Amino acid sequence: MPQYQEKTIVTRVEQLSCENVRITLKAPEIASCCKPGQFVMIRTSVGKDPLLRRPFSIHQADASGHIQIYFKIVGRGTEILAHVRVNEEISVFGPLGRGFTIDENLPTCIIGGGLGIAPLLFLAKEICRRKKKNCGPDLIILGGRTLDEVEPLVNDFREVGIRTLATTDDGSYGEKGFVTDVLKSVELAPNTQVYACGPEPMMAAINDFCLAEGLRCQVSVESVMACGMGACLGCNRPVGDGKYVHVCMDGPVFEAKELKWNL
Ligand SMILES: Cc1cc2nc3c(=O)[nH]c(=O)nc-3n(C[C@H](O)[C@H](O)[C@H](O)COP(=O)(O)OP(=O)(O)OC[C@H]3O[C@@H](n4cnc5c(N)ncnc54)[C@H](O)[C@@H]3O)c2cc1C
Ligand code: FES
């Protein structure tokens, strides 16, 4: 699979809430070959602080050669990235990792929590494109702690054409409660393919639910990553039987039942 170290150009910066930012980059090489669920490693500074690239899911990619990332400001790298300006150059390496496996013949339920919503817009669009807009039975459930984490992205998902439900822990937007509460309350077809990305306890609960209901479930997991390409061994994750996977190379998308949960 091709990978590029591309000098991308910032074409748009959207401050979607006080902590959440979306950046659009002109990245024709990466956009031409990336798949939903893959990620990029971004050099956030031209200097040595921070020295290492930071991993971000590909939030969207389009045929005009643009990719987007959507992120929360949590430290030095994301703080710098949040202040980039249009026309600035950013070094981006990717696409990396293994993305979601899509079977357009199956009904789909996509579940995102907090920043885990980031890779799911690209996935929803690709599913709808392959189903030729015939997404009637499909469902998206987006959740977060507060309105800020959910509301800015809901319209983008609804525009894809898939029924989209929202929850917040505090009830400030959508249903009050967790995405798993909604998941348990809706009726899914027995052959539904579930896709999930979000906090570990959320994905562990969704895995339990899918195992109990006999549903397929793919999850995108995070890990601290120094290299993103299998060289540093920093992203190991146990899968049971004393075995480990590299999240950067073997994932970040896995069959949920293959992973060890509640670490
Ligand atoms: C495959 C992958 C995809 C990702 N996609 C996104 C995305 O789409 N949007 C987004 O906002 N973030 C995403 N992340 C997390 C993102 O990489 C980190 O938030 C970012 O590296 C923080 O950099 P920083 O320099 O701002 O913070 P740092 O100063 O490096 O760290 C600040 C705090 O965040 C914690 N932290 C850093 N990286 C991670 C991590 N990977 N998991 C959990 N805690 C971490 C640190 O322990 C520290 O407490 C992704 C991570 C991975 C591995
Ligand atoms: S991040 Fe270095 S091996 Fe995965």
Side-chain angles (χ1 to χ4, degrees), residues 54-57 70-72 74-75 77-78 115 118 222-223 225:
R54 298 293 193 250
F56 296 94
S57 306
Y70 168 69
F71 63 94
K72 180 174 178 174
V74 294
T78 45
L115 260 299
E222 274 194 19
S223 152
M225 284 187 187

Side-chain angles (χ1 to χ4, degrees), residues 81 97 115 132 145 190 195 214 260:
L81 209 49
L115 260 299
K132 302 193 171 43
R145 280 172 302 169
Y195 299 97
K260 208 165 167 185

Side-chain angles (χ1 to χ4, degrees), residues 6 8-9 11 23-32 34 40 42 57-62 64-69 92 122:
E6 199 166 4
T8 67
I9 302 293
T11 60
I23 295 179
T24 308
L25 300 161
K26 182 83 180 163
E29 291 177 313
I30 294 171
S32 71
C34 63
V40 289
I42 296 189
S57 306
I58 299 171
H59 176 57
Q60 293 200 76
D62 67 21
S64 69
H66 293 87
I67 62 168
Q68 278 186 335
I69 57 162
V92 181
F122 190 11

